Amino acid sequence: MPDVQRRIVAAAREQLLRQSGGHGGVRSVVSEDGRETRLLVLAPGASSDAAGRYRPGDALVVLEVVPVPEPTGGHRVHADARVPLYVLVDPGEAVCTVHSRPLPGVGYREAERVPFGNDLFLPLGEGTLVLETGDFPVGPPTPGAAAG
């Protein structure tokens, strides 16, 4: 599965970088074992602290590929930080779940499952990023991943 994760993150990063047009940028998050399983689409002016962390409100989109080696708490943690969109990519089920409308203390109020092969539309304040999933590789089933 690590190669599947790496390929999905690389494909998503390339697409998002092309579309972000310098409006904040796209950053990979590397786990302790050296795998890139997360991407952040950042707001304009966002900058990391000395430890490489960003402030709540800096991330406009968090994209994670399961299984995540260091779980972040998924949708609840990102909703508490008021991240507008949290995307969970599950190559085992060949589906992306886009969580939106964060409500701190509760989680996200909306979730849309988008099967691989369909485009993901990620609306942001100034426009919409489109993530093409047709070339995302499919991996073995991911037990319990749907909980996000």
Side-chain angles (χ1 to χ4, degrees):
M1 186 66 94
D3 185 55
V4 170
Q5 290 172 316
R6 183 186 56 75
R7 289 172 40 211
I8 290 172
V9 168
R13 182 185 330 104
E14 180 181 317
Q15 291 182 54
L16 294 172
L17 280 171
R18 271 196 317 257
Q19 296 176 59
S20 68
H23 298 299
V26 178
R27 300 289 183 271
S28 298
V29 178
V30 179
S31 65
E32 287 183 13
D33 63 3
R35 288 190 277 166
E36 293 178 299
T37 58
R38 294 183 193 103
L39 289 176
L40 305 175
V41 176
L42 300 170
S47 61
S48 62
D49 63 18
R53 293 180 303 247
Y54 291 89
R55 297 179 314 262
D58 282 349
L60 301 174
V61 179
V62 173
L63 179 143
E64 292 185 312
V65 181
V66 296
V68 179
E70 300 162 8
T72 62
H75 68 321
R76 178 74 180 263
V77 167
H78 300 302
D80 287 350
R82 292 180 171 84
V83 175
L85 299 172
Y86 170 58
V87 180
L88 186 64
V89 181
D90 186 345
E93 290 189 18
V95 69
C96 301
T97 304
V98 180
H99 299 272
S100 60
R101 299 189 62 217
L103 184 60
V106 176
Y108 285 92
R109 292 178 276 179
E110 293 183 10
E112 177 184 9
R113 290 175 54 91
V114 179
F116 284 14
N118 295 292
D119 292 345
L120 291 181
F121 295 93
L122 307 174
L124 301 176
E126 297 178 7
T128 299
L129 299 176
V130 179
L131 192 58
E132 298 172 0
T133 65
D135 291 332
F136 282 5
V138 176
T142 308

